[in-house]
Every structure is written in C-alpha cells, then in structure tokens.
Amino acid sequence: MIPLAYPLTLSALLFTIGIASVMIRRNALMMFMCIELMLNAANIAFVAFSRAFGQLDGQIFVFFVIAVAAAEVAVGLALILTIFRTRHSIEVDDLHDLRG
Amino acid sequence: MNLETILFIITGAVVLAAAIAMVVTRNMVHSALFMVVVFLATAVLYLVYQAPLIAMLQITVYAGGIMVLFLFVIMLIGAEKMSHVENLRWQRPLALGLAGVLLAETIYVAVTTTWLQPGRELSNSVAVSPDFGSPRAVGLVLFSQYLLPFELTSLLLLVAMIGAVVLSLRGERER
C-alpha cells in the first residue's frame, strides 16, 4: 500500500523540473519537450487519484490529455519547422518581429 | 516497506533521474532519448497503479509517436549541432528560486491533505475489481459517460492533422 502523498510528490517534482526548465531555456524544441514533461506530471497525479478513489474518471482524463498532447505536438512541431525554414534559428529570442 | 512501495520508489527514481538528465544535458538528441526513458518509466508507474490501458497508450502514443516526431524534427533542422548558450543572467536564479517555492508549496499541500489527517489517509489500497483500468472497463465509461468529449477529441485530431499538413506545405505560392 503506497500512500497517496508519494505519487503526488513525484508529480510535483516532475512538474517543477519541467516548469523551471521552460523558464530557463531559449531553444523552442527544448521548451516543447519540457511542456510534455509537465503534462506527464499531471497524468501521474490523475492516475494516482483515480486509483485512490477507485473511480475510472481520472484515467479517462489521462486518455484525453494524451490525445490533446499528440495534437498539440503535431501542430507545434510543424510551426517550429516552418519558422526554422524562414529564419534558420529556433531560439525564441530571435522571434521578435511582432514586438512593437 | 512491501514490494509495491519498493517498485514505486525505484520507478519514481528512474523517472526523476531521466527528467533531470533531460534538462541538464547539452545535446538535443540525448534530451530526446532521456525523454523516451521518462515516458517508459511513467508507463511502468501506470501499471503499478492498475491502469494498463493508459500504460499501453502512453507507450504507443507518447514514446512511439510524439518522441519519434521530435527526433524527426531534430534531424530535419540539425538541432544536434546547435549551440546551447543561454545568456540569461538574473533570470536563471529567479526561475530556480520560484520553482523551488512552487515545489515546497505543492508538496506541503499534497502531504498535509492526504497523509497527515487521521482517518483520511488515502492510498492505493481501496478495494477495486480486478477489472479496474482494463480496456473493457475504461471503454464502458468512455463511450457512455464521456462520449461527447471523445467525439470532440476526434474532431480536434482532425483539425490538428489539417493544420500540420497546411503548415508544412512548401510555399508553392512563392514559385
């Protein structure tokens, strides 16, 4: 029997690693990968809660999170590719043309 | 300290070590491969928590689909040769400090609300049927109670597919 605090702590640690890394990185692909890390942290929390309460709703939510993450990655990577084709750089500091 | 807890601690340690290695390493291909390790270890964690369908979906979609997409994009843009110099002076300690505050807050809330309250300790020892988390059980709930989000997700995937194709068209109007 594993107390619920263990997976929640793991989820919190993973989420914090992801968000700290997104704030530090300037490479668009790395930021994307750390966003996926944050989504996985939330999924772990969902599955742990679903088991703790004996209801399947948490797992259904994880199902939808995985589907939405797949859609988001497809469009996001297509965007990064298109940006790289015109600017030859994926550092987000170089993408400042919309700034007034 | 039974076998389940030991299994959870080992898998959790693998997840954390791979996540830290992923954010620390300078090589993008190594980051992507560490990400695959994170996904596979998370799938093992789902199996510990009696979610076999979600574990298989994680391996198929995340490790087998999303990471392959990442590796393709890394190959196409030549990211393994990109320099990794991030010139942030005061943002880095601020980001790490704020992330530490968030971590302390989250762990405090998680521990005090689920562990330290007598009579309300939550764990994974609630009795569930052996069917819990199986494709049959998840399908029964998914197609009855969550049918609308399911159909909307399929619409979302269609839109994402169209968007990805349109974005990757190689500017035929420019010719």
Side-chain angles (χ1 to χ4, degrees), chain B residues 66-79:
Chain B
I66 292 180
M67 285 325 293
V68 171
L69 266 180
F70 266 111
L71 284 167
F72 266 114
V73 172
I74 290 175
M75 174 197 77
L76 282 173
I77 67 179

Side-chain angles (χ1 to χ4, degrees), chain B:
Chain B
M1 190 63 99
N2 51 355
L3 182 62
E4 212 178 17
T5 314
I6 294 177
L7 185 60
F8 173 85
I9 289 178
I10 292 177
T11 315
V14 169
V15 172
L16 281 174
I20 293 177
M22 179 194 113
V23 307
V24 161
T25 183
R26 293 275 149 194
N27 186 339
M28 292 253 338
V29 180
H30 292 176
S31 286
L33 294 178
F34 279 125
M35 193 75 179
V36 176
V37 174
V38 168
F39 289 151
L40 292 179
T42 315
V44 172
L45 215 53
Y46 294 161
L47 285 174
V48 169
Y49 273 90
Q50 209 165 346
L53 175 67
I54 302 296
M56 291 305 129
L57 277 179
Q58 167 96 359
I59 295 178
T60 315
V61 172
Y62 255 120
I66 292 180
M67 285 325 293
V68 171
L69 266 180
F70 266 111
L71 284 167
F72 266 114
V73 172
I74 290 175
M75 174 197 77
L76 282 173
I77 67 179
E80 70 268 8
K81 296 191 279 293
M82 282 184 178
S83 69
H84 234 2
V85 183
E86 283 118 20
N87 193 11
L88 303 168
R89 298 160 303 267
W90 54 273
Q91 284 102 334
R92 188 187 293 238
L94 183 64
L96 291 175
L98 289 176
V101 169
L102 174 68
L103 179 67
E105 239 182 289
T106 320
I107 293 184
Y108 173 75
V109 168
V111 168
T112 55
T113 57
T114 69
W115 207 1
L116 300 181
Q117 304 211 4
R120 265 191 44 176
E121 300 97 9
L122 291 170
S123 69
N124 71 334
S125 59
V126 165
V128 291
S129 67
D131 206 22
F132 186 79
S134 70
R136 180 180 179 277
V138 172
L140 276 174
V141 179
L142 184 64
F143 291 113
S144 60
Q145 208 176 335
Y146 292 93
L147 184 59
L148 181 62
F150 180 77
E151 299 297 332
L152 289 177
T153 307
S154 70
L155 188 62
L156 173 74
L157 287 171
L158 173 71
V159 170
M161 204 178 348
I162 294 175
V165 167
V166 166
L167 280 170
S168 327
L169 284 178
R170 234 183 215 284
E172 282 149 8
R173 304 161 218 103
E174 290 154 15
R175 296 210 196 121

